[in-house]
Amino acid sequence: DAGVIQSPRHEVTEMGQEVTLRCKPISGHNSLFWYRQTMMRGLELLIYFNNNVPIDDSGMPEDRFSAKMPNASFSTLKIQPSEPRDSAVYFCASSLTEHNEQFFGPGTRLTVL
Amino acid sequence: EDQVTQSPEALRLQEGESSSLNCSYTVSGLRGLFWYRQDPGKGPEFLFTLYSAGEEKEKERLKATLTKKESFLHITAPKPEDSATYLCAFNTGTASKLTFGTGTRLQVTL
């Protein structure tokens, strides 16, 4: 049974470049969550979707960040332009409903030089 | 403001030395209290959900309990493979998102 799939696993880019992170949730799960983890701030929710609709994007740091979920099996998190302070591990998680336990992907480690 | 506080920040145990991790919470309208395990370089792995005071759940050497103010993760006779960071999180009736604590780094040595 495949879990949450994220790509790429590692991304190194230069300041100002566009970065796109991808996520495939567990089949049958209706809610999808994007988190960011840093040593300083821990694990923070950026945005979540329910049935492909964004419900809460209050954690998105600024307009440089955007997320989409065009269908039930795919979501993207885009940063444009990227900055060094965006360096972190970005996790995608999915759950059966928005209230249930969430299952996390392996994460994308982003380094912005 | 709703929040959780985990203690200790770090814990070093010898193999077989049982202990407990604490997650204190101040939450209005708690819906669920969640425990996760995170290994270095990996995503958090779901362990337990607790919904009401007095509830307990067990899995192998781990047992999670919940009171009205805190949750404990009891580790009985730990092994080196139990070494990880343990995170607690909560959601509420009005906010489905999980809010995580900062975690307890557990190291179990031979």
Side-chain angles (χ1 to χ4, degrees):
Chain A
D1 220 5
V4 175
I5 299 172
Q6 291 188 247
S7 65
R9 293 294 313 277
H10 302 272
E11 177 81 35
V12 180
T13 190
E14 292 190 348
M15 184 173 65
Q17 295 298 306
E18 178 179 297
V19 175
T20 299
L21 312 181
R22 297 172 176 79
C23 175
K24 177 179 170 54
I26 293 172
S27 177
H29 281 192
N30 295 313
S31 299
L32 182 140
F33 304 79
W34 282 101
Y35 290 87
R36 178 170 68 177
Q37 187 172 41
T38 62
M39 288 294 292
M40 290 294 293
R41 300 175 67 89
L43 199 57
E44 301 176 289
L45 179 72
L46 299 176
I47 184 171
Y48 84 89
F49 296 82
N50 203 35
N51 294 318
N52 312 338
V53 176
I55 302 299
D56 183 351
D57 65 354
S58 59
M60 296 285 262
E62 47 199 273
D63 292 346
R64 298 184 297 105
F65 285 69
S66 62
K68 294 182 179 180
M69 192 165 186
N71 58 61
S73 59
F74 184 65
S75 177
T76 60
L77 178 68
K78 187 175 292 186
I79 308 173
Q80 165 64 12
S82 58
E83 297 183 2
R85 60 191 167 121
D86 302 330
S87 297
V89 181
Y90 290 80
F91 289 104
C92 175
S94 71
S95 61
L96 197 58
T97 75
E98 58 189 315
H99 301 297
N100 292 104
E101 56 271 15
Q102 297 171 22
F103 296 87
F104 284 74
T108 295
R109 180 173 295 277
L110 173 65
T111 303
V112 183
L113 303 174
Chain B
E1 180 186 352
D2 294 341
Q3 60 182 356
V4 289
T5 303
Q6 291 190 247
S7 62
E9 284 189 19
L11 181 63
R12 186 182 175 114
L13 300 173
Q14 286 198 322
E15 185 175 14
E17 181 186 1
S18 301
S19 188
S20 297
L21 312 183
N22 178 264
C23 173
S24 297
Y25 64 91
T26 307
V27 178
S28 301
L30 180 76
R31 185 181 182 95
L33 190 293
F34 300 78
W35 282 98
Y36 284 81
R37 167 194 172 126
Q38 187 173 23
D39 293 292
K42 295 190 175 182
E45 174 189 346
F46 171 72
L47 294 173
F48 305 109
T49 310
L50 302 166
Y51 291 104
S52 57
E55 189 175 2
E56 297 184 354
K57 288 192 176 174
E58 283 188 73
K59 179 181 178 180
E60 297 180 353
R61 295 178 293 282
L62 301 177
K63 183 169 80 171
T65 62
L66 183 67
T67 72
K68 289 186 177 180
K69 293 185 178 180
E70 54 195 349
S71 177
F72 291 96
L73 184 66
H74 306 278
I75 304 176
T76 302
K79 297 182 178 181
E81 53 262 42
D82 294 323
S83 298
T85 296
Y86 291 85
L87 299 163
C88 73
F90 69 88
N91 61 6
T92 69
T94 54
S96 300
K97 66 179 186 179
L98 289 183
T99 301
F100 282 84
T102 53
T104 293
R105 291 191 313 279
L106 173 66
Q107 183 179 12
V108 182
T109 59
L110 292 170

